[in-house]
Amino acid sequence: MAQTAGVKPMAIAGRVASERERCLGMTDAERAWRKQWLKDQILAPNEPVHVEEYWKERTNPIRRFYRKPLDKLFTSLIPMLGEERAVNYRYITGKLGLIAIGVLSVHYYFKYQGNDWTKKGGWRVMRTKPTVLPGQPGFPFKSERSKPSDYADRNFKNSVI
């Protein structure tokens, strides 16, 4: 869904936002409106208002639980790094941690939980034969499979059972 919830966006600056439109001529009402619009663009001395950590009390408790270790670590680093750098480092560290967990999970799956003769499901990894060109060692490539039982055994021969 669109950011405007299906309503067509309207430029608040109006037709006089473009310099070309202003050069065509403006009515007195448009001049007054533009003057007020330019005045409204100036921030008050107390703006922008910093709202202190409102989201923490409204966040999902599970999310608060898994974020707590990095929040504690980088809260203690704010005096050394500064608030903005600490927030950025915390974000990057969290994302790199999730990527590392994902890589380790995929590695574990393919190393210990892959498809073999004992399982019905799972991803099956098949290796293709290497490309050996004329002039390279081992040129007419000969497969290690010599008997019909060597094909599609899915590690049955290597089982300890």
Side-chain angles (χ1 to χ4, degrees):
M1 180 169 269
Q3 191 174 9
T4 58
V7 178
K8 289 190 177 185
M10 177 187 81
I12 196 166
R15 107 178 160 80
V16 292
S18 166
E19 186 177 356
R20 178 176 284 200
E21 291 286 329
R22 289 193 305 273
C23 287
L24 290 174
M26 295 168 53
T27 65
D28 290 336
E30 286 175 332
R31 284 184 202 287
W33 183 86
R34 175 146 173 90
K35 182 179 177 184
Q36 180 63 42
W37 183 80
L38 288 172
K39 192 171 137 189
D40 292 341
Q41 301 309 304
I42 299 170
L43 292 178
N46 64 343
E47 290 180 319
V49 177
H50 178 69
V51 179
E52 190 63 38
E53 300 297 334
Y54 172 72
W55 66 270
K56 278 195 175 183
E57 62 206 33
R58 308 236 341 145
T59 307
N60 181 336
I62 297 169
R63 184 170 187 241
R64 275 187 302 192
F65 174 74
Y66 73 77
R67 288 179 58 98
K68 191 135 191 123
L70 285 179
D71 283 346
K72 281 251 189 239
L73 173 68
F74 284 98
T75 301
S76 65
L77 291 177
I78 285 177
M80 289 180 279
L81 299 174
E83 187 169 353
E84 187 175 342
R85 283 180 70 189
V87 167
N88 290 339
Y89 287 175
R90 192 241 174 269
Y91 177 81
I92 291 168
T93 305
K95 297 303 176 201
L96 289 176
L98 288 175
I99 290 170
I101 288 171
V103 167
L104 290 173
S105 299
V106 169
H107 171 72
Y108 174 83
Y109 176 82
F110 282 110
K111 186 168 183 179
Y112 298 111
Q113 302 296 324
N115 183 318
D116 64 0
W117 71 275
T118 62
K119 297 183 189 89
K120 201 171 193 176
W123 288 350
R124 186 169 173 202
V125 179
M126 299 174 62
R127 291 177 182 80
T128 59
K129 64 181 185 177
T131 303
V132 183
L133 301 173
Q136 290 181 336
F139 166 57
F141 177 75
K142 294 183 178 137
S143 176
E144 299 108 20
R145 301 172 184 168
S146 57
K147 301 180 287 210
S149 62
D150 290 340
Y151 291 88
D153 74 337
R154 294 172 57 199
N155 276 341
F156 179 74
K157 289 181 182 176
N158 300 335
S159 97
V160 293
I161 296 178

